[in-house]
Amino acid sequence: DDDDDDDEKLFGLPRAEVGEPLAVLLASQFVLFLGVGALLPALPLYAQNIGLSGSANGIVLSAPALAMLLLNLPAGKLVDSWGRKQMMVAGMLIIAFSDLATSQCRSVTALVPARLALGVGRAGAENGDRAYLADLTDRFPSARGTMSGAQQAVQALGLVIGPLVGGRVAESTGDAASVFFLISGAAFACTAGYSLLPDINVAAEREEEYKLMSMDMTEDEEEEFLMEREEKKAAGDWRTLLRSNRQRVITFAAAANALGFVAKLTCIPWFATAALGATPQQVGELFSITALLGMASAPISGVVADKIGLKSVLFASLLACAVGLGFAQHASDVRELQLWIGLWGMGTAAAGPAVNALAQESAPAGAEGEALTLPKTAGDVVFLVGPVALGLADDLLGSEGASLALVSATAAASAVATLAFLSALGEEEGEKEVAR
């Protein structure tokens, strides 16, 4: 009997219902993030090759975030009504073609539409995969943190290996635009992987159950039942969600963690070079160390979260982010900076899965796709305005480390909010009655 149970499990998860779909999802995303990682070292060279100014480059980088910000809510509703897998496949196809288009662009006028299209694709694919993972974790909730951590680790591994491939391709070809063919190919491969996934949609499954139940109801019972369903759907509305302290804390934590990623792209390398005289190679080593530490901390934090609770892990992760960046701004040399940025990297890698798992378990039944867009949209807003805000902090305060202090303070505030206001699921009045 024990052997039969083992045959029915994969990675300790029910094989057919959870293990195999999760393996296909993570394998597809690993290939995708190899492509994303390959693009990172080629982006500055690509911008130089086509003569983009700093401001023009900022516009191009912000275009996908703007599209996602505008489309997250309607995309989330489509995820619930049309289907998770359908949105993932359609969104990934748009991403693949937008990256192909980008490889042929040589001006801002051409680049902005191509990158806006990328944002359209990401809105569909990312909202779809969040809801798909939420459905999988609903089938085995005791491993919710482990599954979210595994996803973060797989993506981080792609971001460790990808830059090595992208840098070599850009050097050997002398054309940074050629790397866009790599990421486009990775997106097409990811699309193929997504197409192999079973079509899981908890909302659709519940809809079928509702139809069967209503057949045996009287007219009054059916009317009451329909009213209860409308209340559940309304619970996925952002205005309703944000009445909950729990949802406010999750949204704040998502925004704080996103600001850390903005810092990784902007003020951390700026501080390393401007304040400490770091070479490009040293900056690259800084990010490689951070990625490797994050790749280790993400799955470990997921397992720990399943044992001691998501609240404890999120608080500790955000505190590590705050401490790491708080001391990083006072680093006297690159080695000391690597130590503190490494601590920050471990914290931010662990916080991501914790935020996602909290959002998944808090999403109202029947409106998971729409509800999960709330923390994602908070992150997209930060990605849109964060670079400007951090740059202004350094300029106005006349210090290369001022922006690091701002990000550190935001993480600390989010940690305090988590400790003080993140209640256990169902503790807020009326929460569970409406949500589940």
Side-chain angles (χ1 to χ4, degrees), residues 3-21:
D3 290 339
D4 291 340
D5 289 342
D6 290 340
D7 289 341
E8 293 175 359
K9 288 187 178 272
L10 182 66
F11 312 127
L13 304 168
R15 178 180 290 272
E17 294 84 359
V18 181
E20 290 178 352

Side-chain angles (χ1 to χ4, degrees), residues 131-150:
Y132 194 94
L133 185 62
D135 286 348
L136 290 180
T137 61
D138 274 348
R139 293 182 168 185
F140 204 74
S142 62
R144 196 185 301 274
T146 301
M147 285 189 266
S148 294

Side-chain angles (χ1 to χ4, degrees), residues 125-329:
E126 292 178 13
N127 281 300
D129 86 61
R130 281 170 180 259
Y132 194 94
L133 185 62
D135 286 348
L136 290 180
T137 61
D138 274 348
R139 293 182 168 185
F140 204 74
S142 62
R144 196 185 301 274
T146 301
M147 285 189 266
S148 294
Q151 183 188 46
Q152 185 86 10
V154 165
Q155 293 175 357
L157 180 60
L159 292 176
V160 170
I161 300 172
L164 302 176
V165 177
R168 179 163 294 186
V169 169
E171 277 190 26
S172 62
T173 63
D175 180 15
S178 62
V179 179
F180 281 99
F181 289 103
L182 282 179
I183 189 171
S184 181
F188 279 120
C190 185
T191 304
Y194 282 172
S195 70
L196 300 176
L197 289 168
D199 195 358
I200 299 174
N201 191 332
V202 171
E205 292 170 4
R206 291 196 187 103
E207 186 70 25
E208 191 63 31
E209 290 176 9
Y210 293 155
K211 289 179 181 178
L212 293 173
M213 291 170 61
S214 64
M215 293 173 63
D216 298 324
M217 293 180 182
T218 65
E219 187 175 336
D220 289 342
E221 287 174 338
E222 186 173 359
E223 184 178 348
E224 183 179 353
F225 181 69
L226 290 173
M227 288 178 62
E228 290 177 358
R229 284 185 59 199
E230 288 303 316
E231 287 180 3
K232 289 182 178 181
K233 288 183 180 179
D237 183 83
W238 288 1
R239 290 166 296 182
T240 303
L241 289 171
L242 288 173
R243 293 173 191 161
S244 159
N245 281 338
R246 183 180 178 84
Q247 290 288 350
R248 292 192 194 110
V249 170
I250 293 170
T251 304
F252 185 17
N257 208 41
L259 189 61
F261 281 106
V262 172
K264 180 179 179 179
L265 297 174
T266 55
C267 56
I268 291 176
W270 169 251
F271 178 81
T273 54
L276 301 179
T279 65
Q281 181 179 346
Q282 288 175 317
V283 174
E285 290 174 357
L286 178 67
F287 286 140
S288 294
I289 292 170
T290 302
L292 287 169
L293 290 172
M295 189 174 65
S297 67
I300 293 172
S301 69
V303 174
V304 172
D306 289 334
K307 301 295 183 184
I308 67 172
L310 290 164
K311 177 177 180 177
S312 300
V313 169
L314 182 58
F315 170 73
S317 301
L318 290 168
L319 187 62
C321 293
V323 171
L325 289 184
F327 280 95
Q329 64 180 310

